[in-house]
Amino acid sequence: MTQAEHDSGQQAVRKGGLSCLAHWSGRQWCLLGALGCAILLGVAFILQFAFGMAPCSLCIFQRVAVAVAGVFFLLGALHGPGRIGTRIYALGALAGTIGAIVLAGRHVWLQSLPPDQVPSCGPGLNYMLEVLPVWDVITQVLNASGECAQISGQLLGLSIPEWSLMGFCVLALVPLAMLWSSFRR
C-alpha cells in the first residue's frame, strides 16, 4: 500500500466517523431518540413485570418524562422535519429528558440520605390521584416519600435510579445533537 492510498483511507475514515452524524436528518435523529426511549421504557417494564419490582412514584414520573420525550421523537420521525422543525422537536424532547434527569437525580439523592433523614412514607400515588388535585400530587411526589429512598435492586454496584440517571443523560445527547446538527446545516 502506498502512502497516498493510506492517507486517502485515513481521510475516508475521518469523514465517515462522527462528522457523518452532523449530516443526519431530523428524522434520523428522531428515530434514534425514539429507539432510546423505547429501550428505557422497555427495561422499566421488564423490571416491573418480569422481576416484580414495583415502581415508586418518582419512577412513574420518570417514565412519564421519558414518554414525553418519546412522543416528540415519534412525531419528529413521522413528520420528517426541516431545520426549524428539528429544533422544535429537539427542544420538546430535551425538556422531557431534562425532566427525567431531574427526577432521577432527586431519586438518587433520596437514596443517598442516611436512614434518619429519609422522609416518612406517604400515601400511594393512586390514592393521591383520586383525592388530590394534580398539582398537589406533583408537589407531594417531588417532596418524595420514604418508599423512594429504598434501594430495591442493584447491578454492578449501582441502584436502578443511578442506572436510569445515566440512561437519561445518554438520551439527552440525542436532542442536543439534533440542535447542533440543525445549526450546522
Side-chain angles (χ1 to χ4, degrees), residues 32-182:
L32 179 64
L35 176 65
C37 290
I39 289 170
L40 289 169
L41 289 172
V43 168
F45 288 121
I46 288 170
L47 289 173
Q48 179 179 352
F49 296 113
F51 295 102
M53 300 178 85
C56 69
S57 51
L58 277 176
C59 292
I60 292 170
F61 275 40
Q62 290 169 40
R63 291 178 186 186
V64 170
V66 171
V68 166
V71 166
F72 278 98
F73 284 132
L74 281 175
L75 289 173
L78 293 173
H79 176 222
R83 205 171 31 195
I84 301 298
T86 297
R87 292 175 190 164
I88 292 169
Y89 291 122
L91 290 172
L94 187 60
T97 54
I98 288 173
I101 289 169
V102 168
L103 291 165
R106 173 105 171 123
H107 204 162
V108 169
W109 175 76
L110 279 169
Q111 289 185 340
S112 71
L113 290 175
D116 62 329
Q117 293 181 7
V118 172
S120 61
C121 290
L125 184 60
N126 289 336
Y127 174 77
M128 287 191 296
L129 286 170
E130 289 176 11
V131 297
L132 296 174
V134 174
W135 185 253
D136 290 345
V137 173
I138 293 170
T139 304
Q140 289 278 355
V141 169
L142 293 180
N143 287 332
S145 67
E147 72 172 357
C148 296
Q150 296 172 0
I151 298 175
S152 56
Q154 288 187 325
L155 178 65
L156 301 175
L158 297 175
S159 69
I160 293 170
E162 290 170 326
W163 282 106
S164 298
L165 180 59
M166 287 191 299
F168 301 150
C169 288
V170 170
L171 181 64
L173 295 175
V174 175
L176 290 173
M178 287 171 67
L179 289 169
W180 176 74
S181 70
S182 74

